[in-house]
Amino acid sequence: MPDLGLEVLIKGNNLGRLLGGLWIAIEISLLSIAISIPLGILLGILMTRKNRLIRFLTKFYLEFIRIMPQMVLLFLVFFGTTRSMGWNLPGETAAVIVFVMWGTAEMGDLVRSALLSIPRHQYESSESLGLSRKQTYFYIILPQTLRRLIPVSINLITRMIKTTSLILMIGVVEVLKVGQQIIEANRMSSPNAAFGVFLVIFILYFVICWSVSMTARYLERKWS
Amino acid sequence: MDFAYIERVLPLYERAAALTVQLGMEGILLSIVIGLVCALILYEKIPVLRRIVMIYIEVSRNTPLLVQLFFIYYGLPKIGIVLTPEVCGVAGLAFLGGSYMAEAFRSGLDSVEDIQRESAYSLGMNRMQTIHYVVLPQAVSTSIPALLANIIFLLKETSVFSAISLMDLMFTAKDLIGLYYKTTESLALLVIFYLMILLPVSIVGAVVERRVRYAGFGT
């Protein structure tokens, strides 16, 4: 049996450090999704407006965010704005900003299609009952869309967790970076650490994303 | 904007874009093949293989490409599998894309009604002929929009290739920012080059989607 470099993980607190790195990635995605949900609902409502200018602007925003690789967005915020605005943005903040921008766009599109799937008579009936526009959205439309939204937004969470692996590239010390550090530190004692460490990271990501997407699938089946 | 600088680095970006497109295309072609094979295995419910395909799809869909690439590029050489960065990139992209393509083909295959298959059997066609002449043509035409969406997704995913020292657009931009500190120009070029690659595909996708909506059979 070849040396798979797994013994590095039980040395010292290495596994704990890896999990800590993973937690940073998860924290960033949970924080971003928590901010994106309300913003996304707002964007989704804006996107169903009849106003041409609003529709054009929201569509443009959505398409731009969609077509750019997330890595490019990260670079734009992390390197681009620090240079042009002259501030010093930590990688974590830049990551949250990018994921919120992206999450809002994706969420907005999901909200838009959920809103459009609500039959028109729901709007008309509530209007004929004398509810104001705000009341209509708040009491009639949003409760119905939320239920359709929850499974798809959970899917968005898994996509976000997967995408957080990219923040390594803007200098955030997350699980991959911690993995590299462990490999570097144990270069002499266990030269094959790269296999074991990256395998474990692979499995960690899989376990987390898989359980989240299983939950989404379960909810989708239950509520459809 | 420093246009002299832009002119100077433009060839670097062109070379990087060519690499991005080339590796992207190779990975996409491979992933289409993998996806089609996997979808057919699921469709025909071939015993053992079906389980393997299902596990593969779950694993590939629930892990980030960057982690897959790190494992292939840094991990595998330790057990004796040494691949060049190019091969790693294409292999990683195909591993990731295969499952997405399989899902796209599967929904296309599912949309073909049972009666089509049954009719083909009653005309005396065998399993291969049924798949080839009856099921696939209908399934593929309905899955084209999903395939194009996946192609855009995979082209975007190539941006992580820079992590395994492939000189793609991201790598070039980061390298130039580090060398000359012309952040604005380098990032502007990066955005423009990605738009030049992705926008045409996305427009084709929108047009095709509108067309294909009428090509479905009996819907």
Side-chain angles (χ1 to χ4, degrees):
Chain A
M1 176 112 176
D3 171 27
L4 296 182
L6 285 165
E7 74 288 343
V8 173
L9 292 159
I10 39 174
K11 229 188 269 170
N13 190 23
N14 283 348
L15 194 61
R17 284 178 61 202
L18 271 187
L19 290 174
L22 192 63
W23 177 242
I24 289 179
I26 293 172
E27 220 173 25
I28 286 178
S29 41
L30 288 182
L31 179 64
S32 318
I33 201 99
I35 306 174
S36 327
I37 286 175
L39 289 178
I41 292 177
L42 212 65
L43 181 70
I45 293 175
L46 278 180
M47 285 173 87
T48 55
R49 281 291 172 83
K50 296 241 153 47
N51 188 322
R52 279 249 172 104
L53 182 68
I54 292 180
R55 270 231 308 254
F56 172 77
L57 288 177
T58 49
K59 184 99 185 141
F60 182 81
Y61 174 71
L62 175 72
E63 293 297 330
F64 180 77
I65 297 281
R66 275 236 173 122
I67 208 167
M68 275 297 126
Q70 277 93 34
M71 188 94 102
V72 175
L73 296 176
L74 282 172
F75 268 49
L76 284 180
V77 171
F78 187 66
F79 293 115
T81 64
T82 41
R83 180 88 164 118
S84 53
M85 312 273 186
W87 58 41
N88 192 4
L89 210 55
E92 286 88 346
T93 320
V96 172
I97 292 174
V98 168
F99 286 130
V100 166
M101 278 163 52
W102 176 52
T104 305
E106 292 285 347
M107 209 50 214
D109 199 42
L110 295 174
V111 172
R112 185 191 60 95
S113 60
L115 283 176
L116 289 179
S117 75
I118 303 281
R120 224 204 158 116
H121 63 76
Q122 296 281 340
Y123 291 89
E124 288 161 358
S125 316
S126 70
E127 204 171 313
S128 69
L129 285 171
L131 296 182
S132 72
R133 199 174 198 160
K134 228 197 251 159
Q135 286 171 322
T136 307
Y137 271 111
F138 203 74
Y139 294 110
I140 313 287
I141 307 301
L142 284 182
Q144 297 184 64
T145 44
L146 278 183
R147 185 175 224 196
R148 290 167 210 222
L149 271 178
I150 287 173
V152 277
S153 42
I154 294 179
N155 268 332
L156 189 59
I157 297 181
T158 53
R159 281 170 66 197
M160 248 185 210
I161 295 177
K162 283 192 285 177
T163 316
T164 47
S165 58
L166 302 185
I167 58 182
L168 160 82
M169 309 295 282
I170 56 167
V172 179
V173 181
E174 45 70 78
V175 60
L176 281 170
K177 189 76 210 171
V178 174
Q180 286 179 333
Q181 290 169 349
I182 293 175
I183 294 163
E184 282 298 315
N186 297 286
R187 166 142 294 188
M188 294 301 161
S189 56
S190 45
N192 282 353
F195 183 84
V197 170
F198 287 130
L199 181 68
V200 168
I201 294 175
F202 189 93
I203 295 171
L204 285 175
Y205 262 107
F206 173 72
V207 169
I208 289 176
C209 295
W210 188 67
S211 40
V212 177
S213 44
M214 276 312 186
T215 318
R217 215 173 293 171
Y218 169 76
L219 290 178
E220 217 163 328
R221 214 170 300 150
K222 198 175 155 199
W223 286 345
S224 62
Chain B
M1 283 280 170
D2 181 348
F3 286 100
Y5 167 77
I6 290 181
E7 211 169 314
R8 194 147 47 93
V9 296
L10 210 51
L12 292 175
Y13 274 92
E14 279 162 11
R15 211 175 328 142
L19 185 76
T20 298
V21 172
Q22 185 212 331
L23 295 181
M25 279 303 157
E26 288 172 11
I28 286 165
L29 282 179
L30 265 176
S31 65
I32 288 177
V33 174
I34 295 174
L36 191 57
V37 171
C38 288
L40 284 175
I41 287 173
L42 290 178
Y43 186 70
E44 287 288 326
K45 302 198 174 62
I46 298 171
V48 189
L49 284 177
R50 183 164 158 257
R51 289 256 145 226
I52 298 174
V53 168
M54 282 163 84
I55 294 172
Y56 157 67
I57 289 180
E58 291 299 331
V59 170
S60 133
R61 285 190 73 109
N62 285 306
T63 45
L65 179 59
L66 189 58
V67 174
Q68 296 169 1
L69 285 179
F70 267 47
F71 180 65
I72 299 174
Y73 187 63
Y74 295 109
L76 287 185
K78 304 294 178 195
I79 55 165
I81 304 170
V82 185
L83 303 168
T84 63
E86 284 84 4
V87 176
C88 280
V90 173
L93 202 63
F95 179 79
L96 176 83
S99 64
Y100 283 83
M101 294 297 183
E103 297 278 317
F105 281 120
R106 183 160 68 165
S107 63
L109 286 170
D110 283 345
S111 74
V112 180
E113 288 165 62
D114 280 341
I115 196 165
Q116 298 284 331
R117 224 149 108 97
E118 287 157 10
S119 314
Y121 287 146
S122 69
L123 285 170
M125 290 184 172
N126 64 24
R127 237 163 131 169
M128 282 307 283
Q129 286 170 323
T130 308
I131 292 277
H132 185 176
Y133 294 109
V134 180
V135 177
L136 267 189
Q138 299 180 55
V140 169
S141 72
T142 36
S143 42
I144 281 177
L147 291 182
L148 280 165
N150 284 343
I151 289 176
I152 296 174
F153 164 72
L154 290 175
L155 279 175
K156 277 164 63 180
E157 286 287 311
T158 57
S159 59
V160 308
F161 281 178
S162 56
I164 54 167
S165 65
L166 279 170
M167 307 252 276
D168 75 334
L169 284 169
M170 287 312 299
F171 188 96
T172 307
K174 194 173 182 180
D175 206 32
L176 289 173
I177 291 174
L179 272 177
Y180 301 109
Y181 215 57
K182 300 259 187 221
T183 316
T184 319
E185 288 83 354
S186 308
L187 288 177
L189 281 172
L190 178 69
V191 169
I192 291 168
F193 269 89
Y194 265 115
L195 280 181
M196 287 200 306
I197 295 174
L198 292 165
L199 211 51
V201 189
S202 146
I203 291 170
V204 169
V207 171
V208 167
E209 189 174 356
R210 219 168 296 154
R211 286 256 170 111
V212 165
R213 223 174 276 164
Y214 303 103
F217 197 81
T219 44

